[in-house]
Amino acid sequence: MRTSILNSWQRCRSLGLSADRSDLPFRDDFEPDARIVRAAVPVLDRLQYRFAGSRLNIAVADANGTVLLRRFGEASLARSLPAIQRVPGFVFAEQVAGTNGIGLALAERQLIRVYGAEHFAERAQTSACRAVPVRDPLSGRIEGVLCFGYPRAFDDPRLATVIRKAARAIERRLLRQSSARERALLRAYAETEADAAVGRHHTIGLDELALGQHPQDRAILMEQATELLSRAQRAALHVRLSDGRRVTLLSRPMTSATGVEGVVIEAVLPGPAPRDPLVAPWQFDELPDFPAEPASPGIVLPSGAVTAPGRVASGGRGVTVVAAPGGRRAAAPPSRGLLLVGEPEVGRYALAARHRLELLSEASTRIGTTLDVRRTAQELARTAVPRLADYVTIDLPEAVLRGEESAHPHGDLRRTVVHGIRDDCPFHPVGKQVDYGPATPQLRCLTGGEPVLEPDLEAAAGWLAHDPEHTAELLTHVHSLIAVPLVARGVVLGVAAFYRGQDPAPFGDDDRSLAQELAARAALSIDNARRYTRERTMVLALQRSLLPQGLPDQDAVEVAHRYLPAESDVGGDWYDVIPLSGTRVGLMVGDVVGHGMLSAATMGRLRTAARSFAELDFPPDEVLTHLDNLVGRLDREEDFAAEADILGATCLYAVYDPTTQRCTMARAGHPPPALVRPDGTVSFPELPAGPPLGLGGLPFEAVDVDLPEGSRLVLYTDGLIEDRYHDVDVTLGRLREVLAQPGRTPDETCQVILNSVAPVHPGDDIALLVARTRALPADRIAAWDLEPDPALVGEVRADAMRQLADWGLDEAAFAAELMLSELVTNAIRHGSGPIRVRLLFDRSLICEVSDTSNTAPHLRRAASTDEGGRGLFLVAQLAQSWGTRYLPQGKVIWAECGLGGGLEGGLGGG
């Protein structure tokens, strides 16, 4: 069933109408000489002649559904049809007659077709009809309905074209009636002036006042005059022209001899501008000249006159503008004459039309300023209140708020916006799930895809029946409703409801069109925001999945971190904490140029590569060199070249050693870190800036900084300090003030930085990493220096066993003794220079053997006939991990042994 018919039937059911009811209300007090009757009679006569001999029943009803005229294609129909189908005076409004052509055309306010069983009343189900509203061309109000009724077999699609043309013909005749009323007012004014004054009076036309050199003056005068016309009262308004002269507009009510009530607007001009002749280009009919009447500097109005405020208005159709005979020179100043004449309703309609255009123009700049779904919906509500509606509610599916398309947009609505002239209107609160019944205007507009107007909510049966208790309370605040679906690109986004309560005038068709236009613009912006939200959510999910999911276990530093995505788009910022050999830890922050999916994906690749380079124990400057080469290769790849012009990134990498309390740092185009000493002293170490990653050809330089235990190292990306509203130096000064408070934990430091330093609406991502340094106690470090003499291996082994016994690591002694013996022997046999042995007792036992040789050992599987090659294999089996770390002079071979003993994890596997 078609949506309009289904909605009508639901309304009829909710009203308790009976399908077998045959009687209708009859009114004998209808006006047989109404405006629409006078306009429609000639048109209906022509239709009767065109359809002569057919069984077509032609009717014209007023705006309340009362039939005023009847015509029949076949004369015998007037005798064979029941009275309700042939006698004027019966009411066919939907609320009393059920679904029918006249009633549904008034309810839907558009051309409709009702066929056979679509009629609610059983008596009409053997026929069909088409009906269309007839509007006053000036005011836009529905004056009545033109309806064609006929047997179902006579239905023809071409009747839709015929009935539209006939309705337009009636509307043109209504317009001519209005023009006659305007002419009657003009004649009354001319006669009044001729009888009341003595002498001659020069008539000033609108183009004379504007003088042709300032076209904007014409529009200003016409707009101000139209607003005076709409006020329908005695008033005076001063208007200043662009040349500095002041024109006074006088408004005076007028009644014609035939009883037409209107308003005339006169213009008083103190004098013409020098050297500018006053020339009137055209003349209205045969307007007589008026007697001269000098104007005093102060305009004295009759008793009870008021001065209208200087608002801007626009002219409209049905307003008469008067000018003097073309080409005639103006009389000597001062001058006064007729400027505009018309009916107040016409002026109000013109004024409302201009206000609607202004509102639409304003909506184009106020709606869609952000890519946030909720804020865009709020902008729609704030634009409409109070210039269109007193209250606006907007309901969106939960899926749309998340950036997705809703699978059930009709049943998954959630109150998103409530906005109005007051806060005490009892609407459902924001966040509440809203369920609408099938006959409510909101669900009808969602299912039909068209706005639904309920000018009188007290008569809206479906709206009242949905929630009687709540709607009864709402009726004390509102009386009229427009429900508009929010649909963009075929996606149903929700529904907006516009309520009127303070303004006594109900919503009309023009208001519905305006609400529909506002909703359409907002829906497009909401859909853009929804799609952006979806893409941003995907990028943010990718970004977060590529960032560290947790902090690694290490005792070198106490770490806290934060990641804050940009409001507009997600970038490629990252941070990382990397445990290194020798109880050291690597701290890294970086920022990929650009935003979006590409930047996030590139960030993931760079972070993975950076971590790999760091875990190879490369020093910070070499890690940046390898990253620089990688970015350069990525930028040269064809896929990247097709999607972005340049791929670049910045990075800061620091390695902290708790055994020496020294930090080695290097940066590639990245902001320097902040260093907070235990006493609260804040500094920004002067690190060589280095070029951003991807430029290539320039070296990076590392700097060593001593960090006492308890120092805080603050690493961040440029989104924290770069903001278009604040200078970078000012922001760094604010950061220095915030950090100069000793005793804060890293987590507290992160939070206070974001609260005090970060932009309120960040335009770029912010990655923040705060590390408070710890020191490995000296009693947990043991070291021996020895010459490359094989005879010394036993002594070192014995010293190491005694140290392990002192530490209480007897269970790990056997594995540590084997590994240490093998590493020292290899250093003596294959290394060079002095040898240093170091044991570190932290979360695990670490054995380190260093020498001055750059030759690195390699793990290999020895053949059964080989005499050697099994020592390093034995170390790898006993140790949890092992590796090589290069020094400026030589290398370090290290092996990490679990504190529970090394045999369980190594040799036990065979």
Side-chain angles (χ1 to χ4, degrees):
M1 183 178 291
R2 287 179 291 145
T3 302
S4 59
I5 303 297
L6 178 60
N7 292 338
S8 178
W9 273 64
Q10 290 173 340
R11 292 194 294 268
C12 296
R13 293 290 189 189
S14 63
L15 288 168
L17 299 180
S18 175
D20 57 2
R21 178 179 174 181
S22 60
D23 61 323
L24 290 178
F26 179 79
R27 294 183 54 188
D28 55 6
D29 60 343
F30 66 89
E31 186 178 357
D33 193 35
R35 288 185 65 216
I36 191 170
V37 172
R38 297 197 304 271
V41 164
V43 178
L44 263 63
D45 289 342
R46 292 197 299 271
L47 288 172
Q48 184 178 27
Y49 175 78
R50 175 174 180 176
F51 291 101
S54 70
R55 297 184 62 82
L56 189 69
N57 181 349
I58 307 169
V60 170
D62 64 14
N64 297 317
T66 304
V67 175
L68 305 178
L69 287 174
R70 288 284 190 184
R71 291 290 190 274
F72 305 96
E74 186 177 309
S76 60
L77 284 176
R79 298 186 297 271
S80 62
L81 293 175
I84 61 174
Q85 296 184 24
R86 58 182 174 84
V87 178
F90 285 96
V91 181
F92 282 82
E94 183 186 70
Q95 57 266 31
V96 295
T99 306
N100 70 91
I102 294 174
L104 191 54
L106 289 172
E108 296 290 331
R109 310 176 81 84
Q110 61 183 342
L111 174 65
I112 60 92
R113 168 180 173 267
V114 182
Y115 184 84
E118 291 179 337
H119 287 88
F120 186 79
E122 294 178 355
R123 66 174 185 279
Q125 293 182 0
T126 59
S127 61
C129 66
R130 293 180 188 266
V132 63
V134 178
R135 289 178 170 83
D136 185 329
L138 293 180
S139 67
R141 295 191 307 265
I142 292 180
E143 292 286 330
V145 177
L146 174 63
C147 180
F148 290 174
Y150 43 86
R152 289 185 298 180
F154 189 71
D155 190 46
D156 190 325
R158 290 174 294 181
L159 286 175
T161 302
V162 175
I163 198 170
R164 282 196 184 97
K165 289 182 177 179
R168 300 296 87 79
I170 298 175
E171 290 172 349
R172 287 193 296 271
R173 293 185 60 82
L174 287 172
L175 180 62
R176 285 199 291 270
Q177 289 183 27
S178 297
S179 299
R181 294 164 66 90
E182 302 294 341
R183 288 194 296 269
L185 287 173
L186 185 58
R187 283 193 296 270
Y189 172 78
E191 293 169 359
T192 302
E193 290 294 302
D195 294 342
V198 180
R200 308 297 293 171
H201 181 119
H202 177 63
T203 300
I204 301 175
L206 181 61
D207 287 329
E208 275 189 293
L209 294 175
L211 303 180
Q213 297 182 7
H214 304 286
Q216 67 270 25
D217 289 344
R218 175 187 180 94
I220 292 173
L221 286 172
M222 192 61 187
E223 290 165 357
Q224 303 285 24
T226 305
E227 179 159 344
L228 284 179
L229 177 67
S230 68
R231 292 177 178 271
Q233 58 186 359
R234 284 183 175 273
L237 177 65
H238 301 299
V239 181
R240 186 170 298 277
L241 302 181
S242 56
D243 60 6
R245 290 184 299 161
R246 187 179 67 175
V247 175
T248 302
L249 300 181
L250 301 177
S251 170
R252 180 151 55 97
M254 178 70 61
T255 304
S256 72
T258 58
V260 178
E261 296 182 355
V263 177
V264 294
I265 309 296
E266 296 175 305
V268 178
L269 180 65
R275 299 183 302 278
D276 288 333
L278 298 181
V279 180
W282 56 282
Q283 180 180 3
F284 181 88
D285 293 339
E286 296 180 358
L287 183 68
D289 291 338
F290 297 103
E293 180 178 339
S296 60
I299 303 298
V300 180
L301 297 177
S303 177
V306 296
T307 302
R311 290 180 59 192
V312 180
S314 65
R317 300 172 60 188
V319 176
T320 303
V321 180
V322 182
R328 185 172 56 185
R329 290 281 178 171
S335 299
R336 172 180 174 178
L338 182 64
L339 181 64
L340 183 147
V341 62
E343 295 180 85
E345 185 64 31
V346 176
R348 294 189 190 101
Y349 180 70
L351 194 62
R354 185 187 62 82
H355 289 166
R356 287 192 293 271
L357 290 176
E358 287 181 345
L359 184 58
L360 287 176
S361 176
E362 183 179 333
S364 63
T365 59
R366 292 187 61 182
I367 300 177
T369 60
T370 67
L371 288 172
D372 182 86
V373 173
R374 287 181 174 85
R375 290 180 63 179
T376 303
Q378 291 170 355
E379 289 168 350
L380 168 60
R382 294 192 182 106
T383 302
V385 174
R387 297 171 64 178
L388 171 62
D390 296 326
Y391 302 94
V392 174
T393 64
I394 299 176
D395 305 320
L396 303 177
E398 184 68 28
V400 172
L401 296 174
R402 297 194 304 266
E404 305 168 3
E405 294 185 13
S406 177
H408 304 285
H410 302 167
D412 184 29
L413 293 173
R414 193 168 295 276
R415 180 59 47 87
T416 306
V417 173
V418 176
H419 182 66
I421 56 176
R422 296 171 57 183
D423 296 331
D424 59 349
C425 198
F427 292 106
H428 292 303
V430 172
K432 179 180 175 61
Q433 186 169 357
V434 183
D435 297 320
Y436 290 111
T440 56
Q442 287 87 344
L443 196 60
R444 285 160 49 200
C445 81
L446 282 174
T447 55
E450 295 292 336
V452 173
L453 169 62
E454 291 287 2
D456 184 7
L457 285 176
E458 292 186 357
W463 184 76
L464 293 170
H466 168 61
D467 189 355
E469 181 178 351
H470 186 236
T471 51
E473 188 178 3
L474 275 177
L475 281 176
T476 63
H477 296 78
V478 297
H479 60 76
S480 191
L481 164 67
I482 302 175
V484 187
L486 298 173
V487 182
R489 303 182 182 96
V491 178
V492 178
L493 303 173
V495 60
F498 302 83
Y499 293 88
R500 183 168 287 177
Q502 190 175 40
D503 189 343
F507 284 123
D509 285 326
D510 291 327
D511 298 315
R512 179 176 64 173
S513 299
L514 177 59
Q516 183 178 15
E517 181 66 25
L518 288 175
R521 298 188 182 195
L524 189 60
S525 297
I526 290 175
D527 190 51
N528 290 337
R530 178 192 67 82
R531 293 159 64 125
Y532 166 77
T533 301
R534 180 185 61 189
E535 294 178 2
R536 185 176 185 272
T537 301
M538 293 171 56
V539 175
L540 188 57
L542 174 64
Q543 171 87 330
R544 293 192 183 280
S545 68
L546 295 175
L547 290 173
Q549 302 303 303
L551 296 178
D553 294 331
Q554 49 81 35
D555 292 329
V557 291
E558 180 186 354
V559 182
H561 58 86
R562 295 289 191 277
Y563 171 73
L564 186 64
E567 283 194 353
S568 58
D569 204 353
V570 179
D573 291 18
W574 86 90
Y575 60 89
D576 210 345
V577 178
I578 309 166
L580 301 175
S581 63
T583 70
R584 298 172 307 135
V585 65
L587 306 173
M588 181 179 293
V589 291
D591 183 4
V592 175
V593 174
H595 298 83
M597 187 74 73
L598 177 61
S599 295
T602 304
M603 178 275 290
R605 300 175 72 174
L606 291 184
R607 176 180 170 259
T608 301
R611 189 178 185 90
S612 300
F613 295 145
E615 289 178 343
L616 290 174
D617 269 327
F618 291 136
D621 52 338
E622 291 189 25
V623 169
L624 296 182
T625 300
H626 288 298
L627 285 177
D628 181 58
N629 294 333
L630 173 63
V631 174
R633 288 194 301 271
L634 292 177
D635 194 32
R636 291 189 296 270
E637 292 181 4
E638 294 183 2
D639 292 343
F640 275 97
E643 299 184 36
D645 294 332
I646 297 176
L647 179 66
T650 65
C651 185
L652 170 64
Y653 181 43
V655 175
Y656 172 70
D657 189 343
T659 64
T660 61
Q661 301 178 39
R662 176 168 295 183
C663 184
T664 304
M665 295 179 281
R667 64 185 180 124
H670 202 84
L675 175 59
V676 187
R677 301 286 178 177
D679 60 358
T681 303
V682 181
S683 63
F684 296 92
E686 295 184 1
L687 305 181
L693 301 176
L695 295 183
L698 296 176
F700 299 97
E701 185 175 351
V703 173
D704 291 334
V705 178
D706 290 326
L707 294 183
E709 185 176 11
S711 300
R712 283 173 290 165
L713 189 63
V714 181
L715 286 70
Y716 51 87
T717 55
D718 57 5
L720 177 68
I721 61 173
E722 293 184 3
D723 182 25
R724 58 181 177 178
Y725 301 108
H726 301 91
D727 185 80
V728 173
D729 292 335
V730 174
T731 305
L732 288 175
R734 178 59 181 157
L735 179 61
R736 183 189 297 271
E737 294 175 2
V738 167
L739 293 176
Q741 298 293 330
R744 287 197 180 111
T745 65
D747 192 74
E748 292 171 344
T749 304
C750 282
Q751 197 58 47
V752 73
I753 289 175
L754 292 184
N755 293 341
S756 306
V757 181
V760 177
H761 302 290
D764 194 7
D765 290 17
I766 298 176
L768 179 62
L769 190 65
V770 178
R772 182 164 62 182
T773 61
R774 295 168 176 165
L776 187 65
D779 59 0
R780 291 202 170 201
I781 304 173
W784 302 272
D785 294 317
L786 65 153
E787 295 297 325
D789 183 358
L792 300 177
V793 175
E795 297 181 9
V796 171
R797 188 168 56 232
D799 293 339
M801 292 305 101
R802 284 192 294 271
Q803 182 64 65
L804 292 181
D806 294 341
W807 286 339
L809 301 179
D810 295 330
E811 293 184 4
F814 177 72
E817 183 179 11
L818 290 178
M819 290 189 296
L820 188 63
S821 178
E822 181 61 33
L823 294 178
V824 172
T825 301
N826 282 342
I828 294 174
R829 293 181 60 185
H830 305 290
S832 61
I835 298 173
R836 181 176 179 82
V837 178
R838 191 170 67 159
L839 296 180
L840 304 176
F841 177 23
D842 190 34
R843 288 176 175 267
S844 60
L845 177 64
I846 301 172
C847 304
E848 294 184 347
V849 177
S850 62
D851 62 72
T852 58
S853 171
N854 290 325
T855 303
H858 296 282
L859 181 66
R860 66 185 181 89
R861 182 177 294 275
S864 57
T865 56
D866 292 341
E867 294 183 2
R870 296 177 179 83
L872 199 56
F873 178 79
L874 180 63
V875 170
Q877 293 296 310
L878 291 173
Q880 290 182 342
S881 59
W882 72 279
T884 304
R885 179 171 74 249
Y886 290 93
L887 305 174
Q889 299 293 329
K891 66 179 183 299
V892 176
I893 309 297
W894 58 270
E896 185 175 345
C897 179
L899 298 183
L903 294 177
E904 293 90 342
L907 297 178

